[in-house]
Amino acid sequence: MKDRILLVLALVAAGILFWNMHTIFLEVPDEANQGPIFRIIYFHVPAAILALCGFGIGLAFSLIYLKTGNLRWDGIAEGVTEVSLVFASITLITGSIWGKIIWGVWWAWDARLTSFLIAWLIFAGYLMLRRAIEEPVQRARLSAVVSVFGTVNAYVVWKSIEWFRTQHPGPVLSVRSGGGMAPGMEAPLGWNLLALFCISIMLVMVRQQQAGIAREIDTLRRTAHSF
């Protein structure tokens, strides 16, 4: 059943991306001020949305673990956070490329950029912590604590362009005040978000399979040590 779901998600994501790439590169016009580099927004923004939302979802599963004590929820939190960190890395890379073309530098210590980098470092530390602690319960509890701090910072990232008016441009999505894109330019953003969302679900499902195997190995190891 899981293999069928993965196959369906892969086909949906591939189909949307193939169709949407035609729209983005051949139908969407260049942005008036930025030119063709503006098209990187169709990867940069969806990756950022999935990263920040994923960090919050990871925290939710960590809190469920703390309430239930079931390590399965901690495993889901790890998988979601790990995939979210991948999208956060894509966000930083695409943002740096965009900044180099528009600002002339790869990096600026802007409020949003800096807070996003801090979030990336916190969740990179989250994964390093999990590798460093072998005892599952202690690992899960400490990971939940780190996830709290990281998710609070993720909220700061989201609000930073409203709280601090620095170099990073304001919101581009019309659902937020002050945002908006030209007609015909916003729809591909939503389609790319859907495609990347399907890919993120696939990655989390694969990580869950791996996490399940890891939990079985931990159980066997603890059983062997008890003899």
Side-chain angles (χ1 to χ4, degrees):
M1 182 63 180
K2 288 184 178 180
D3 290 340
R4 291 183 179 179
I5 294 175
L6 287 172
L7 178 60
V8 170
L9 289 172
L11 291 174
V12 170
I16 292 174
L17 286 174
F18 180 80
W19 169 74
N20 212 32
M21 290 305 98
H22 178 275
T23 302
I24 291 170
F25 291 106
L26 298 180
E27 296 182 14
V28 172
D30 293 347
E31 204 271 337
N33 297 317
Q34 301 184 41
I37 189 60
F38 178 76
R39 288 176 175 83
I40 204 169
I41 194 174
Y42 296 110
F43 304 93
H44 178 74
V45 171
I49 292 173
L50 290 173
L52 296 178
C53 291
F55 291 147
I57 294 171
L59 171 62
F61 282 115
S62 291
L63 295 177
I64 294 174
Y65 159 73
L66 292 177
K67 182 175 179 59
T68 64
N70 188 336
L71 286 172
R72 179 174 178 271
W73 299 114
D74 173 65
I76 297 176
E78 179 187 13
V80 171
T81 301
E82 189 171 309
V83 172
S84 299
L85 189 63
V86 172
F87 284 106
S89 301
I90 294 172
T91 303
L92 287 174
I93 292 170
T94 55
S96 294
I97 296 171
W98 199 352
K100 177 61 176 176
I101 301 299
I102 302 303
W103 298 338
V105 293
W106 291 103
W107 185 264
W109 293 103
D110 171 88
R112 168 157 285 189
L113 275 65
T114 303
S115 58
F116 200 101
L117 177 61
I118 292 172
W120 188 94
L121 292 172
I122 291 174
F123 285 105
Y126 170 98
L127 295 180
M128 293 173 64
L129 175 70
R130 297 191 68 90
R131 302 299 184 272
I133 301 176
E134 292 187 3
E135 206 286 311
V137 173
Q138 182 185 19
R139 179 176 62 212
R141 289 176 178 174
L142 291 177
S143 297
V145 173
V146 175
S147 185
V148 170
F149 287 105
T151 303
V152 169
N153 187 76
Y155 179 76
V156 173
V157 174
W158 177 56
K159 300 293 289 185
S160 60
I161 54 177
E162 298 177 9
W163 292 345
F164 312 100
R165 288 308 304 129
T166 50
Q167 195 163 355
H168 194 284
V172 297
L173 299 180
S174 58
V175 295
R176 298 177 63 184
S177 60
M181 298 174 68
M185 299 180 73
E186 191 167 317
L189 194 65
W191 285 113
N192 257 21
L193 176 60
L194 177 59
L196 294 181
F197 177 66
C198 291
I199 293 174
S200 69
I201 294 177
M202 290 170 52
L203 294 175
V204 171
M205 290 179 65
V206 171
R207 283 297 291 120
Q208 287 317 293
Q209 293 177 351
Q210 296 173 343
I213 295 173
R215 286 195 299 271
E216 292 179 4
I217 293 174
D218 283 339
T219 301
L220 292 174
R221 183 171 55 197
R222 291 196 300 271
T223 302
H225 288 168
S226 65
F227 290 105

